[in-house]
Every structure is written in structure tokens, then in C-alpha cells.
Amino acid sequence: MNEISIEVKNLRKEYQEEEAPTIALSDVSFTIKKGEFVSIMGPSGSGKSTLLHILSFLDRPTGGSYRFFGRGIDDMTDIELAHVRNKQMGFVFQSFNLLSRLTVYDNVEIPLLYSDIAPAEREAKVREAVHSVGLEEKLFIEAGKLSGGQKQRVAIARALVVNPDTIFADEPTGNLDSVSGAQVMDILEKLHDKGHTVILVTHETYTAEFADRIIRIKDGTVESDKAVEKVRRSKTEFFK
């Protein structure tokens, strides 16, 4: 049986407002096994972004529990949380979050600058990550000069460079055309095939269906949690 990587029980998140608290998440429970490909779906305001922030250690719940590989978020200091994020998690965002005036190499190298890895090994890791997304010829091009699809592939390489167990992809095809979107989803599928846990947050059904399982969030609660029925079709069909 696969190891449980993420365990959420009765998770709750409230934001204090002047008149009354706003409940973003209420009684959310699920588990994700190491190596799973899971989509978290929901409309705007459903709570899926709040859930992503908690799962990726950017925020803390106000109730319930969250354990990442057996360690409770409430048992870790902010420094410990940052260490886990840097070593075991990779992040891909809709807006890419690249530094446009830095080269592809420099952008991908950023997560390694906080480690004690020797320069030669650091360079090897950067080149390997960039190779994995097929952008070797762009290695020393400024990120701002790339197309949207190329920028997202650089963002994936940056997420991969620390060889994380878990990759969080937040609306990764939201700003891309159909061809670029298909390329990004192909890369995420290959990462899953190599054993990475992939958690995809999206509001798009056709993107979510690349996963093996879809957790639907509505009004801050889990509406459904079901396996995806796989249908044979080309990736570009999803984006037409």
C-alpha cells in the first residue's frame, strides 16, 4: 500500500471580519497517497485556493488537522515549514512568477540558492531540470522574452530542480493557448509517471480530468471525491 503523503481531517479556516467571521473551509477531510495525481476543483470563491495555501504551508488552518508525511502542520515552526516547502514541494502558478530580466538558468536556479549544494552540482541540477521540459536552447535567454507556454515550462523546471515529492500546480494552463496547455499537461503527466505526487488546482473540467481523481470543493466543503474515468483521446482535444 502506498504511503499517505497528505492527511486532512475536519479542516477549518476562518477569517475574522469586523462584523462576523468568514468561513472559507469547513470540515474538509481527505487523504492523498504518495505518487497520486489529484485535481482539486471548484468555482471562484469555493475555498480551493485557501485549501491550496494550507496544503502548501502558506497558511495555517484555524481548526482540524493537516499532516504532511506524518508531520502535523501545528507541530512545526515557521522555519521548519519553510524548510519542508523548499525541500519537498514544488510550485507551478498560473502567472508563472518568473523574474523576467533573469535568464532561464537563473530563474530555475533560485530554489537551490538556499541550499548548501556545491556550484558544480547546482549547475548540473539546473541543466537537468531545463532539459526535462525541453528548453535547453533557451537556457541563457531572458525569461521575459519567452512565450507563455515556454514560461510555464520554465516554472515547471524551477519546481523540479529540488526533486520535490509533491508538485502543486495552481491553474497551470489558465494563461496558455491550446497547444501550450497540452504541452504543460503532458509534462505534469510524465512527472506523475516518474513517481511525483501532483496536486492540480483548477476550475476547468477538461484539465482536471488528466488526474486520476477529482476532489470537488463547494462553499468550503468537499462536495465529491471520485476517481476519473479515463477516456482515450489526444491532449489537444481537451483544449479545443
Side-chain angles (χ1 to χ4, degrees):
M1 183 177 293
N2 290 345
E3 180 182 6
I4 298 295
S5 63
I6 286 175
E7 183 178 19
V8 171
K9 287 185 178 180
N10 307 121
L11 202 69
R12 183 179 181 86
K13 181 64 181 181
E14 293 182 3
Y15 294 100
Q16 292 298 323
E17 305 290 345
E18 290 184 2
E19 297 181 357
T22 297
I23 300 175
L25 296 172
S26 177
D27 200 31
V28 171
S29 298
F30 59 83
T31 59
I32 295 176
K33 294 179 180 178
K34 177 179 171 63
E36 272 198 280
F37 190 163
V38 177
S39 289
I40 297 176
M41 281 196 72
S44 178
S46 63
K48 67 182 186 297
S49 294
T50 299
L51 179 58
L52 173 67
H53 289 162
I54 293 173
L55 295 180
S56 58
F57 291 175
L58 289 173
D59 200 357
R60 292 179 183 263
T62 50
S65 66
Y66 168 35
R67 303 184 72 81
F68 183 76
F69 283 99
R71 296 193 67 189
I73 188 172
D74 291 333
D75 298 330
M76 289 186 270
T77 65
D78 289 343
I79 293 176
E80 288 174 320
L81 292 177
H83 179 78
V84 172
R85 288 187 84 248
N86 191 51
K87 297 293 185 180
Q88 293 181 259
M89 297 177 177
F91 304 89
V92 182
F93 304 96
Q94 178 178 352
S95 56
F96 318 130
N97 287 5
L98 301 178
L99 298 176
S100 60
R101 293 189 178 182
L102 294 185
T103 65
V104 169
Y105 183 101
D106 291 336
N107 271 281
V108 175
E109 185 186 31
I110 287 173
L112 298 177
L113 297 178
Y114 301 97
S115 67
D116 55 1
I117 297 174
E121 183 181 356
R122 196 162 65 219
E123 179 179 351
K125 286 180 177 292
V126 171
R127 289 182 178 274
E128 180 182 0
V130 174
H131 173 76
S132 71
V133 298
L135 287 177
E136 302 95 318
E137 76 282 1
K138 304 292 186 180
L139 194 62
F140 297 107
I141 300 296
E142 289 183 5
K145 297 179 179 179
L146 302 177
S147 68
Q150 290 170 335
K151 288 177 181 177
Q152 193 60 291
R153 286 154 65 189
V154 174
I156 293 174
R158 182 184 57 196
L160 283 179
V161 77
V162 296
N163 192 30
D165 171 82
T166 304
I167 296 170
F168 294 98
D170 186 9
E171 302 280 5
T173 64
N175 287 334
L176 305 181
D177 59 36
S178 60
V179 173
S180 298
Q183 290 173 339
V184 165
M185 293 311 301
D186 182 62
I187 293 171
L188 291 177
E189 277 194 316
K190 288 177 179 176
L191 293 176
H192 169 237
D193 291 341
K194 291 180 180 179
H196 292 278
T197 305
V198 179
I199 299 176
L200 172 69
V201 176
T202 182
H203 68 278
E204 301 168 331
T205 299
Y206 47 81
T207 304
E209 288 177 347
F210 280 94
D212 298 320
R213 172 182 161 206
I214 298 176
I215 299 173
R216 295 181 185 273
I217 305 293
K218 183 178 180 180
D219 297 330
T221 63
V222 175
E223 182 182 42
S224 64
D225 184 349
K226 297 180 180 179
V228 175
E229 183 179 345
K230 294 296 183 179
V231 179
R232 282 191 170 274
R233 49 187 163 177
S234 68
K235 288 183 178 60
T236 53
E237 286 185 81
F238 281 90
F239 296 91
K240 287 182 179 179

